Amino acid sequence: MKSRDAVIRLKRFEVDEKRRKVADIESMIAEFNDMAVDLDRQISVEQERAGVTDVNHYAYPTFAKAAMQRRDNLATSVAGLEAKLAAAKGELDEAEEELRKIEFMQGRDTDRGRVEEPDAEFAMLGVQRAAG
């Protein structure tokens, strides 16, 4: 039983680690999206200040071009993180399922031990239990 308890503790640790990983990735995605929204705001402010909205115009602000590039890079990063998030959620689901199976087996063995326990006590006393 002690080895199964150790396995359960290990699986719980793994599940907790995978939950943290999912939460970290979700946090990064939210942070990147917030940064992209802020860059969009800065781009529009810069365009209004310069009075030029055509990216190909010679007087288009350099800062706005750089901010657009950063925003696009963030969007690419978010897409990559979303793929990692899907994989991490899949790993979390698998780990949770393994933990449930092990805990179920633990509970089943414990229940089996409780049922067999009175028979063992009777056997130790040299008494047979009446069937029924």
Side-chain angles (χ1 to χ4, degrees):
M1 282 298 188
K2 289 188 184 244
S3 65
R4 185 160 294 151
D5 291 339
V7 170
I8 288 175
R9 278 196 309 276
L10 176 65
K11 285 296 177 186
R12 285 184 182 150
F13 177 77
E14 288 176 9
V15 167
D16 289 342
E17 281 297 308
K18 292 184 187 306
R19 278 191 188 125
R20 277 191 283 280
K21 183 178 179 181
V22 166
D24 288 346
I25 294 171
E26 288 173 339
S27 174
M28 287 174 60
I29 289 172
E31 189 175 324
F32 285 4
N33 284 331
D34 290 345
M35 291 167 64
V37 167
D38 187 44
L39 285 171
D40 278 336
R41 185 189 56 75
Q42 291 177 14
I43 291 166
S44 41
V45 166
E46 190 67 18
Q47 287 174 344
E48 286 177 26
R49 188 187 65 72
V52 180
T53 58
D54 182 13
V55 178
N56 296 320
H57 192 275
Y58 72 92
Y60 192 80
T62 306
F63 173 78
K65 284 183 182 178
M68 283 180 167
Q69 183 61 46
R70 284 195 299 268
R71 181 196 58 202
D72 294 344
N73 289 344
L74 285 170
T76 302
S77 295
V78 166
L81 285 172
E82 286 174 345
K84 285 184 180 183
L85 178 61
K89 283 183 175 181
E91 291 174 9
L92 174 60
D93 291 343
E94 289 175 16
E96 286 175 336
E97 182 63 28
E98 287 177 23
L99 177 61
R100 277 193 292 276
K101 286 179 183 176
I102 293 170
E103 287 176 337
F104 175 75
M105 289 175 14
Q106 171 85 13
R108 188 184 64 199
D109 290 349
T110 302
D111 290 345
R112 199 178 284 160
R114 286 185 195 142
V115 170
E116 294 172 5
E117 197 172 283
D119 291 336
E121 289 177 10
F122 283 118
M124 285 177 60
L125 295 173
V127 177
Q128 282 192 340
R129 216 170 135 189

